Amino acid sequence: MSNNKPVCVSLDDFHDYAKATMPKSSYDYYALGAMDNETRKNNRKAFSKIRIRPRVMRDVSNVDTTADILGHKISMPIGIAPMAMHKLAHPDGELATAKGAAANDTLMILSTYSTYSMEDVAKAAPDGLRFLQLYVHKDRTAASDLIKRAEAAGYQGLVVTVDRPKLGRRIADAKNKFKRPSDMKMQNLKEEKNKNEDRGTFNKGMTGTVDSSLNWATDIAWLRQTTKLPIILKGILTAEDALLAVKYKVDAIIVSNHGGRQLDGAPPSIEALPEITEAVQDRIPVYLDSGIYRGSDVFKALAYGAKAVFVGRPTLWALCYDGDKGVDKMLKIIQEEFRLTMALAGCTSIDQITRDYVRRKEQYIPKL
């Protein structure tokens, strides 16, 4: 890292650096969401409406942030969310992200739309824990091939995105006539599936190669027949769908609104979380992404029943800042913020973080 780069002490500092240095069309592609950006903005605002109820004199001289994800022990309940095209942020792209995650002993979820192949990412951080995020393609042979490659490359879970039957309307991309650079390929996809989508027009809710006919009755069964990997559904925002996930015996769900990039007007993930964890009642693990920028955000999500969270955009800003070293630094910052929040709230392990530690800003607390 060159000496003239600013010192980053919070995740917002990485964002400020990326905004000042990235090409506008690339920054906008990462930073902005669908339509009016209502959901994207509310993802962060919603965390500020939650108050932490700290307990004192609890002996917090030793605080343990370790967590478990589907039987895998990780150093903190904070992983890397799947995002497309990391090369827009740094030439080393997903290779650097994988190294940063592995250096912090935590999980990285690799996007189907990675700009390095899943095999190369595995080689870059051979000891790292990785899941593959999957968009199920209309061509099920292509989808099956991706799953088999992930298994062969040592990926330990399959994260199936279920909230993108059609591409959200991203106005900034249309105005910028965004296309990925011509020399940048989606390395997990075969050439015929690697078409550079034109986002300069409305495209009538374009799906590209993604199958918009996914349904509960047949496709969970198809996934089960295709892989022995744990199946995690990403994009759940209602108790009704969470209960269907339990019914169809998926292994976990991620409460997510796609970072506000799909349905604008959908609830912030943290607002959707309580009804989902109440409905699920610990029958399957519930995770969360969208809007995580602070260690206190992590604490609030766990208090409402999430077992872990995934950081999206801050990873890309950190990648832009200093490649794998930037991702490493970003994860260390948010882990230490989380550890400090635990200590100040009176918790020494994540199993102690319960709903008793949070309330909504407007919520009435009865007298004891």
Side-chain angles (χ1 to χ4, degrees), residues 6-166:
V7 175
C8 290
V9 298
S10 77
L11 273 58
D12 283 324
D13 292 335
F14 294 108
H15 166 259
D16 293 345
Y17 177 84
K19 185 176 183 180
T21 58
M22 289 182 70
K24 183 178 185 301
S25 63
S26 297
Y27 170 80
D28 285 354
Y29 170 75
Y30 283 154
L32 300 182
M35 297 301 290
D36 297 319
N37 283 275
E38 175 187 343
T39 297
R40 179 189 65 83
K41 293 173 185 175
N42 287 340
N43 274 332
R44 290 201 67 182
K45 288 179 181 178
F47 280 101
S48 69
K49 297 179 180 180
I50 301 170
R51 303 291 183 253
I52 297 173
R53 302 179 64 243
R55 300 295 306 278
V56 298
M57 298 182 69
R58 308 274 285 191
D59 185 4
V60 293
S61 53
N62 292 294
V63 175
D64 179 9
T65 65
T66 58
D68 178 276
I69 289 187
L70 297 177
H72 302 281
K73 187 175 180 180
I74 53 177
S75 66
M76 54 184 147
I78 308 164
I80 302 295
M83 297 157 289
M85 296 190 287
H86 291 202
K87 264 191 182 181
L88 289 175
H90 190 277
D92 293 341
E94 293 83 2
L95 305 182
T97 306
K99 290 176 183 177
N104 286 272
D105 193 21
T106 195
L107 170 65
M108 173 189 179
I109 305 175
L110 181 73
S111 173
T112 292
Y113 296 152
S114 170
T115 42
Y116 282 94
S117 73
M118 65 179 84
E119 292 86 357
D120 285 344
V121 172
K123 291 175 185 175
D127 296 327
L129 176 62
R130 289 172 303 279
F131 292 178
L132 177 71
Q133 175 270 335
L134 180 71
Y135 287 115
V136 179
H137 292 91
K138 297 170 186 175
D139 178 354
R140 292 306 171 88
T141 301
S144 179
D145 286 348
L146 285 169
I147 294 169
K148 297 305 179 188
R149 285 173 57 194
E151 291 173 341
Y155 288 72
Q156 298 294 313
L158 192 66
V159 177
V160 182
T161 296
V162 293
D163 64 351
R164 191 187 180 271
K166 296 183 183 293

Side-chain angles (χ1 to χ4, degrees), residues 58 62-68 73-77 282 298-299 301-308 338 342-343 345-357:
R58 308 274 285 191
N62 292 294
V63 175
D64 179 9
T65 65
T66 58
D68 178 276
K73 187 175 180 180
I74 53 177
S75 66
M76 54 184 147
D282 284 329
V298 182
F299 185 94
L302 268 59
Y304 278 113
K307 301 301 183 186
F338 175 56
M342 287 178 63
C347 296
T348 58
S349 61
I350 66 171
D351 62 297
Q352 295 176 0
I353 305 172
T354 66
R355 198 169 294 201
D356 292 336
Y357 282 89

